[in-house]
Amino acid sequence: MPYDLLLKGGRVLDPSQGMDQVADLALSDGRVSLIAPAIPQAAAARWLDVSGCLVVPGLVDLHTHVYWGASPISIEADRYMAATGTTTWVDAGSAGAANFPGFRRYVIEPSRARVIPFLNVSEPGLTSLEVVHGVIEHLDADTAYAAVEANRDLIRGIKVLSCGMRVGPSGLTPLRVALEVGEATGLPVMCHIGAPPPGLGDILPLMRPGDIITHAYKGRKGCLVVAGERVRREAWEARERGVLFDVGHGAGSFSWRVAREALEQGFPPDSISTDLHSGSIASGAFSLPSVMSKFLHLGLDLAEVVRLATSAPAKMLGLEVEIGTLRPGACADVSVLSLEEGPFLMADTEGEMERVPRRLVPRFTLRAGELVGERGGDSL
């Protein structure tokens, strides 16, 4: 038989190809083989009826923490892959140069999920939040550079925390070191923002094209929307230069008010991510489809929401040919989702609740063409 697996009758929604149609999807040898209106069941060794469901590229979560067992906030990517529909987990700095070899050997390499790391500019990474970036002795550009060069096949960016709670008197020094490493390695820097100092007025002018601000729609102090309810001038200028803005929902970094005001002013995210970790998974982030549902509620259309969780982050990683797409020849990472009618109550991280009329729910998740789990419905 020409195909290993056939997904029949789903609504194939792939923004990377501008595709939105009811079709069948055929997979072979861990790759996408064919999308067509009607592929005979007899052409595949196995088939799955996904009628009534959305068939989208495997979700790419640009901000997670999955160095389980070494970082106290990390979760297990494999354990939550089926429940979240996420096939690619970008770990945002759980490991630094001092402990990256363990992350590679004991988590990344044996993981069934695809784990793509951003190296923390602080040598111990997030093994202890108390010593992350406030200790200058942990910031060594040469050591970080060496770690990247030794792991060029894996590391796709540099992560830095730049807020008063984490850097203390170090101010902008951690960010400047991260940018130095990013410049030397040719990698983007992902910067965690929060309550100042340093503030966005200091951080944003330093960011380069392709660098990423995460937690873009956080409330409290340090958010994009300031007094007067306007998106900061520095944010517009940064976006004009090519700086990218990621959601990074987390346990304390998403405000309905900030997100709504930013979107109304024409400042949408460049990617939707969860900042999924042990503290956020049960406190509002839940899963990438949950956060995607919030942006459906805020007015983004379905195709755009899917793009921001598939092809957009894949492009930010330089992996758009392999992931975030259902083009023939790409890796057969596939998320099958239901779009359920509500209303459903959803909270931001400020304690505000809103009634969401629709939500996305994972049904089946396939990693490299293999079913890794289901959420209801018939199994193979």
Side-chain angles (χ1 to χ4, degrees):
M1 294 183 181
Y3 308 121
D4 296 332
L5 177 62
L6 185 60
L7 303 182
K8 287 196 64 67
R11 177 183 171 186
V12 179
L13 179 53
D14 181 8
S16 75
Q17 302 182 78
M19 179 178 291
D20 186 355
Q21 64 187 63
V22 175
D24 296 345
L25 175 66
L27 313 175
S28 292
D29 298 322
R31 297 278 160 182
V32 177
S33 294
L34 178 67
I35 301 174
I39 303 172
Q41 295 174 15
R46 300 180 297 167
W47 69 279
L48 183 66
D49 183 359
V50 294
S51 56
C53 295
L54 293 169
V55 179
V56 306
L59 301 182
V60 180
D61 196 335
L62 194 70
H63 188 154
T64 69
H65 294 282
V66 294
Y67 193 178
W68 185 85
S71 169
I73 67 170
S74 285
I75 60 174
E76 297 175 87
D78 284 0
R79 178 181 175 185
Y80 291 103
M81 183 162 47
T84 63
T86 301
T87 55
T88 297
W89 299 66
V90 180
D91 183 276
S94 299
N99 51 24
F100 189 84
F103 190 29
R104 176 173 190 136
R105 177 175 294 184
Y106 301 114
V107 175
I108 297 174
E109 290 179 348
S111 177
R112 191 174 185 186
R114 178 185 288 102
V115 176
I116 296 176
F118 274 39
L119 182 76
N120 201 310
V121 71
S122 176
E123 286 187 296
L126 295 176
T127 52
S128 171
L129 295 179
E130 284 69 33
V131 300
V132 178
H133 293 85
V135 181
I136 296 294
E137 289 78 6
H138 291 153
L139 303 171
D140 187 326
D142 290 339
T143 302
Y145 175 84
V148 171
E149 290 301 304
N151 298 277
R152 274 283 179 182
D153 58 325
L154 289 179
I155 297 173
R156 289 278 165 170
I158 307 300
K159 174 69 183 297
V160 62
L161 279 69
S162 193
C163 63
M165 181 184 295
R166 299 301 177 206
V167 302
S170 299
L172 289 169
T173 298
L175 176 58
R176 293 186 186 279
V177 175
L179 291 167
E180 180 182 347
V181 178
E183 191 68 30
T185 58
L187 294 176
V189 169
M190 176 186 283
C191 179
H192 159 120
I193 60 171
L200 281 175
D202 299 314
I203 292 169
L204 288 170
L206 300 179
M207 303 296 282
R208 310 163 302 156
D211 287 340
I212 303 161
I213 291 288
T214 191
H215 308 315
Y217 301 122
K218 74 181 290 95
R220 308 171 196 170
K221 296 179 180 178
C223 66
L224 285 177
V225 179
V226 296
E229 300 181 344
R230 305 301 302 170
V231 174
R232 293 171 180 267
R233 171 182 54 81
E234 296 94 342
W236 290 109
E237 293 171 350
R239 170 159 279 177
E240 185 68 23
R241 293 198 313 276
V243 176
L244 303 167
F245 291 81
D246 172 60
V247 172
H249 185 295
S253 298
F254 176 77
S255 161
W256 286 120
R257 177 186 64 83
V258 172
R260 180 172 283 110
E261 290 175 347
L263 265 63
E264 287 174 351
Q265 293 171 50
F267 203 95
D270 293 294
S271 56
I272 295 175
S273 72
T274 61
D275 184 19
L276 209 59
H277 55 74
S278 59
S280 66
I281 198 165
S283 63
F286 300 123
S287 69
L288 189 48
S290 295
V291 182
M292 294 163 68
S293 300
K294 293 182 178 183
F295 281 87
L296 276 177
H297 173 58
L298 288 166
L300 296 187
D301 66 39
L302 179 61
E304 179 64 359
V305 165
V306 172
R307 185 186 73 84
L308 293 173
T310 57
S311 58
K315 185 176 182 180
M316 292 160 73
L317 297 166
L319 294 171
E320 63 270 30
V321 174
E322 180 72 358
I323 63 174
T325 181
L326 296 176
R327 289 190 182 95
C331 185
D333 290 353
V334 186
S335 296
V336 179
L337 309 172
S338 293
L339 185 58
E340 297 184 347
E341 298 296 325
F344 308 99
L345 281 175
M346 285 191 168
D348 67 6
T349 61
E350 306 292 296
E352 297 296 322
M353 304 289 294
E354 296 206 6
R355 291 187 179 274
V356 175
R358 300 178 298 167
R359 68 179 181 186
L360 292 162
V361 177
R363 283 285 308 278
F364 302 98
T365 304
L366 294 99
R367 170 74 178 96
E370 294 293 326
L371 188 69
V372 296
E374 61 166 308
R375 298 277 290 180
D378 296 330
S379 61
L380 289 170

